[in-house]
């Protein structure tokens, strides 16, 4: 139905009197349709890796078993910078409570990039290791590298300051590493502090009695579970982990999301050493010849020593287990997936094994999402795995799906502005809003909704759609920053609610809402008075389009005013 609609849009529906409007919109629709194809491929099937019993020895996790009968060793890294010490203490205690059915060497380390004596004191009180450094080079990736240089566990469990692992995490995930090619296992993230809201049927029943409960139940029977007062930011981690990431297992393309992920040390170091060797081999000849020329021109031994020192420093800087990047997690996943010698595997474990804190205000949410968008777009434009060698077709398509979703802010902006052009000026992007238009558009829209209802059964797809549409300013700012070659900074996501008014963060959404309401009022009045080229079909199509945009923007505007309930 989508192909039929797009073909009709290009071949028969263009408004030749307004190609300046018609062509950009049909291009936007085509880009969105391509993204729809990628997303459908992502949703196509669930193919979980089989759960296997936890290994008794490290020999069961490597290719060569001889002499490897010692217990498995795991290093738990709790990365922190400026978070509350007592928050980290909770994570330490939960990590200490992890169980395992066999002997295991589990060491817990606090990686403190804030170099705080109070944090060291907490680590000492809890009886865990404390690792710090005298700089913050590489941010979290540099923090992890520094810790790897001082530890030696077979596996590394990465936690953020607020990651609270369940007791079962190790015994339910280490079994995947019985396959010696599994490089890392990502577990779903569960934000335990999100407001759950109230079921629509219960909410209406409390206000309208039994009839309200019946009506609310009937609505939920058609559209699925609806909750009033739930997560105001539409984070929807279940959609991302249970659907999108989980179904990438079929393509060996699930990527690391940082916290609550378990890594094979051998895999991380193997890829780091190979990348280091390739970089030296590629640049070595040219650089060494340059050093030789410097040495021949200068009889000063000190100058030669300085040149050699710079060369050695460059070599040392390249050996990076975790990429020094704002999105070090997905970047490292890409490097592992690109390795053609071992064909490393990634696993999305389908069960929640930890809990963590969610953004508590729009500023924190915006910082987090800008970091995600900017980091992903920076990779796409500078180290694009879609065109780089080493990956399978499925992996390329899955990574392209991720990057394409962030580029979607461009055509989302077109979809937000398009109804305004018609409502204010009466200029249509199609030749006419006739039965032919609705005959092509409606079957596609209806079938698409039914298909995704089946593909994401049990989850609300509407939250993800409106959040994706309403967050267009964040992705646009990130795209603009990357195109201008600005460095995407690595601000630590605050773990506590930030004070202040956040309405200034949603002025684009407010502008869209106000302009759309004004346009609806103007177009309806003009149509009633017979002013302009407005038609009933055009008003219906653009009116519903505009109302959908308003509802989507309202979600983000409401989030600007949201405050968590204070505990009694």
């Amino acid at each position: 139905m989508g192909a039929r609609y797009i073909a009709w849009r290009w071949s028969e529906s263009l408004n030749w009197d307004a190609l300046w409007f018609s062509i950009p919109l049909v291009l936007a629709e085509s880009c969105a349709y391509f993204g729809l194809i990628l997303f459908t491929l992502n949703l196509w099937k669930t193919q979980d890796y089989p759960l296997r019993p936890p290994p008794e020895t490290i020999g069961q996790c490597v290719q060569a078993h001889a002499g490897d009968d010692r217990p498995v060793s795991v290093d738990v890294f709790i990365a922190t910078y400026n978070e509350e010490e007592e928050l980290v203490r909770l994570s330490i205690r939960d990590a200490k409570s992890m169980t395992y059915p066999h002997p295991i060497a589990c060491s817990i380390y606090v990686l403190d990039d804030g170099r705080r004596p109070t944090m060291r004191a907490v680590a000492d009180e809890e009886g865990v290791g404390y690792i710090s450094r005298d700089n913050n080079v590489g941010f979290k990736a540099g923090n992890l590298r520094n810790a790897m240089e001082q530890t030696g566990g077979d596996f590394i469990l990465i936690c953020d300051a607020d990651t609270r692992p369940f007791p079962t995490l190790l015994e339910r995930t280490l079994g995947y590493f019985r396959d010696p090619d599994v490089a890392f296992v990502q577990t779903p993230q569960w934000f335990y502090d999100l407001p759950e809201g109230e079921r629509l049927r219960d909410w209406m029943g409390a206000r309208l009695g039994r009839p309200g409960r019946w009506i609310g139940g009937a609505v939920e029977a058609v559209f699925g579970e609806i909750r009033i007062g739930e997560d105001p930011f539409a984070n929807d981690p279940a959609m991302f982990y249970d659907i999108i990431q989980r179904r990438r297992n079929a393509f060996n393309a699930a990527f690391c999301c940082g916290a609550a992920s378990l890594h094979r040390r051998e895999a991380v170091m193997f890829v780091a050493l190979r990348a280091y060797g390739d970089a030296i081999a590629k640049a070595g000849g040219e650089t060494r010849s340059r050093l030789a020329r410097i040495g021949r021109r200068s009889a000063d031994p000190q100058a030669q020593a300085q040149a050699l020192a710079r060369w050695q420093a460059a070599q040392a800087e390249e050996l990076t287990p975790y990429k020094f990047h704002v999105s070090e997690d997905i970047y490292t996943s890409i490097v592992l997936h690109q390795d053609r010698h071992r064909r490393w595997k990634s696993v999305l474990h389908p069960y929640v094994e930890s809990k963590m804190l969610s953004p508590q205000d729009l500023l924190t949410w915006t910082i987090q999402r800008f970091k995600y968008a900017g980091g992903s777009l920076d990779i796409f434009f500078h180290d694009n795995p879609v065109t780089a060698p080493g990956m399978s077709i499925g992996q390329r398509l899955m990574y392209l799906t991720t990057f394409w979703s962030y580029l979607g802010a461009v055509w989302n902006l077109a979809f937000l502005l398009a109804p305004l052009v018609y409502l204010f000026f009466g200029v249509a992007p199609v030749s006419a809003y006739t039965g032919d238009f609705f005959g092509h558009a409606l079957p596609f829209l209806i079938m698409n909704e039914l298909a995704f209802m089946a593909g994401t059964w049990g989850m609300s797809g509407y939250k993800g759609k409106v959040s994706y549409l309403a967050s267009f300013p964040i992705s646009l700012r990130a795209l603009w920053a990357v195109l201008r070659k600005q460095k995407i900074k690595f601000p630590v996501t605050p773990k506590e609610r930030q004070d202040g008014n956040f309405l200034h963060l949603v002025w684009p959404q407010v502008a869209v809402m106000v302009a759309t309401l004004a346009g609806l009022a103007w177009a309806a009045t003009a149509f009633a008075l017979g002013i302009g080229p407005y038609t009933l079909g055009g008003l219906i199509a653009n009116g519903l389009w505009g109302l959908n945009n308003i509802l989507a923007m309202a979600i983000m505007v409401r989030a600007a005013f949201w405050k968590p309930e204070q505990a009694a």
Side-chain angles (χ1 to χ4, degrees):
M1 291 295 99
R4 173 176 174 266
Y5 171 74
I6 291 295
W8 173 79
R9 285 285 285 117
W10 279 103
S11 62
E12 299 181 43
S13 75
L14 295 179
N15 183 356
W16 292 92
D17 295 327
L19 290 180
W20 58 270
F21 177 32
S22 191
I23 292 294
L25 184 59
V26 74
L27 282 171
E29 290 181 272
S30 299
C31 289
Y33 176 64
F34 179 68
L36 174 65
I37 294 174
L38 292 174
F39 194 52
T40 304
L41 289 173
N42 191 161
L43 299 184
W44 195 251
K45 65 177 177 178
T46 301
Q47 185 175 309
D48 291 330
Y49 283 84
L51 282 172
R52 302 176 69 179
E56 300 178 35
T57 66
I58 188 59
Q60 297 172 345
C61 301
V62 297
Q63 291 178 327
H65 293 185
D68 292 321
D69 294 330
R70 61 175 175 81
V72 172
S73 61
V74 178
D75 292 330
V76 181
F77 289 167
I78 303 177
T80 178
Y81 175 63
N82 60 0
E83 296 84 358
E84 284 288 335
E85 288 85 350
E86 292 307 310
L87 174 67
V88 180
R89 188 192 297 273
L90 293 174
S91 298
I92 293 172
R93 290 180 175 177
D94 282 353
K96 289 166 62 177
S97 298
M98 289 189 296
T99 60
Y100 200 71
H102 312 294
I104 186 172
C106 184
S107 302
I108 302 170
Y109 300 93
V110 175
L111 316 185
D112 182 21
D113 252 8
R115 297 174 285 280
R116 294 163 290 173
T118 52
M119 192 69 256
R120 179 187 289 273
V122 168
D124 291 341
E125 292 167 8
E126 295 297 330
V128 300
Y130 177 86
I131 298 177
S132 186
R133 53 185 180 147
D134 59 5
N135 61 72
N136 298 106
V137 174
F139 303 105
K140 183 179 178 181
N143 197 5
L144 294 173
R145 181 178 79 167
N146 179 62
M148 286 188 67
E149 292 171 350
Q150 302 179 51
T151 58
D154 303 311
F155 304 99
I156 300 168
L157 173 61
I158 297 178
C159 298
D160 285 342
D162 62 323
T163 304
R164 302 180 60 181
F166 294 167
T168 56
L169 192 151
L170 293 180
E171 64 180 279
R172 286 169 61 87
T173 57
L174 278 174
Y176 293 113
F177 292 100
R178 285 178 175 269
D179 181 345
D181 292 329
V182 169
F184 67 86
V185 176
Q186 177 67 56
T187 66
Q189 296 179 359
W190 172 47
F191 302 127
Y192 68 95
D193 59 338
L194 290 178
E196 294 185 4
E198 187 177 6
R199 288 283 297 269
L200 178 64
R201 66 185 183 190
D202 298 329
W203 185 83
M204 294 187 67
R207 289 157 178 79
L208 302 176
R210 184 175 296 178
R213 187 174 180 83
W214 287 344
I215 295 172
V219 172
E220 288 190 310
V222 176
F223 296 101
E225 182 178 298
I226 300 173
R227 289 187 173 270
I228 306 298
E230 64 179 342
D231 173 23
F233 307 109
N235 287 288
D236 211 11
M239 175 65 78
F240 178 71
Y241 288 102
D242 294 353
I243 300 294
I244 297 174
Q245 278 274 61
R246 183 179 180 182
R247 297 186 188 182
R248 293 189 179 190
N249 280 337
F251 301 95
N252 186 29
F255 58 81
C256 176
C257 301
S261 60
L262 195 62
H263 299 240
R264 184 190 296 268
R265 180 184 291 265
E266 175 201 359
V268 178
M269 292 305 302
F270 181 86
V271 173
L273 289 169
R274 183 168 295 281
Y276 169 74
D278 291 344
I280 295 300
K282 181 178 180 180
E286 178 185 349
T287 308
R288 290 193 183 92
S289 65
R290 185 182 299 115
L291 288 171
R293 290 196 299 272
I294 292 174
R296 286 196 296 269
R297 288 198 302 268
S298 174
D300 185 357
Q302 185 177 0
Q304 296 182 27
Q306 290 176 347
L308 182 59
R310 287 194 296 270
W311 165 244
Q312 291 173 339
Q315 288 180 308
E317 187 68 25
E318 288 294 327
L319 184 55
T320 308
Y322 290 96
K323 282 288 187 177
F324 285 4
H325 194 269
V326 68
S327 294
E328 87 287 335
D329 39 20
I330 187 174
Y331 210 139
T332 301
S333 304
I334 290 170
V335 174
L336 284 165
H337 284 145
Q338 284 179 325
D339 190 88
R340 290 174 289 182
H341 299 273
R342 279 293 301 272
R343 295 297 181 186
W344 294 105
K345 298 176 184 177
S346 62
V347 177
L348 192 283
H349 178 63
Y351 305 105
V352 173
E353 301 292 350
S354 65
K355 61 182 180 180
M356 56 196 64
L357 297 175
S358 66
Q360 291 293 296
D361 56 81
L362 190 61
L363 176 60
T364 302
W365 186 88
T366 301
I367 291 172
Q368 185 185 74
R369 294 308 170 101
F370 180 82
K371 188 167 60 177
Y372 294 163
S376 298
L377 289 170
D378 183 74
I379 293 173
F380 178 71
F381 283 105
H382 298 113
D383 295 281
N384 191 352
V386 179
T387 56
M391 288 197 181
S392 67
I393 294 177
Q395 289 172 327
R396 295 176 194 274
L397 290 173
M398 291 302 99
Y399 278 110
L400 180 59
T401 302
T402 297
F403 301 137
W404 198 259
S405 69
Y406 286 113
L407 292 174
V410 176
W411 36 95
N412 280 343
L413 180 61
F415 297 148
L416 293 170
L417 296 178
L420 299 179
V421 175
Y422 180 83
L423 294 174
F424 279 109
F425 306 106
V427 179
V430 295
S431 55
Y433 287 108
T434 60
D436 200 23
F437 167 77
F438 290 103
H440 284 83
L442 288 180
F444 170 42
L445 294 175
I446 293 172
M447 292 299 292
N448 189 52
E449 288 300 316
L450 291 174
F452 279 97
M453 185 184 297
T456 61
W457 190 257
M459 297 186 186
S460 173
Y462 184 72
K463 290 189 298 183
K465 293 175 186 175
V466 297
S467 177
Y468 178 56
L469 183 62
S471 61
F472 75 96
I474 299 174
S475 296
L476 284 179
R477 286 199 297 270
L479 177 60
W480 181 239
V482 171
L483 291 177
R484 295 173 63 192
K485 298 184 178 180
Q486 292 181 345
K487 184 177 181 180
I488 304 298
K489 298 180 180 180
F490 193 99
V492 177
T493 305
K495 299 298 185 289
E496 296 180 349
R497 177 174 171 80
Q498 306 300 294
D499 295 327
N501 188 311
F502 305 111
L503 189 59
H504 65 283
L505 296 176
V506 293
W507 70 262
Q509 291 90 338
V510 173
V512 170
M513 293 176 66
V514 172
T516 304
L517 287 171
L520 287 170
W522 165 256
T525 302
F527 176 73
L529 299 176
I531 302 173
Y534 298 101
T535 64
L536 181 59
L539 282 178
I540 292 174
N542 287 277
L544 293 175
W545 189 352
L547 287 174
N548 178 74
N549 291 343
I550 290 173
L551 290 174
M553 300 302 108
I555 297 293
M556 199 60 61
V557 174
R558 180 172 62 91
F561 295 96
W562 178 80
K563 293 182 180 181
E565 294 183 4
Q566 299 297 323

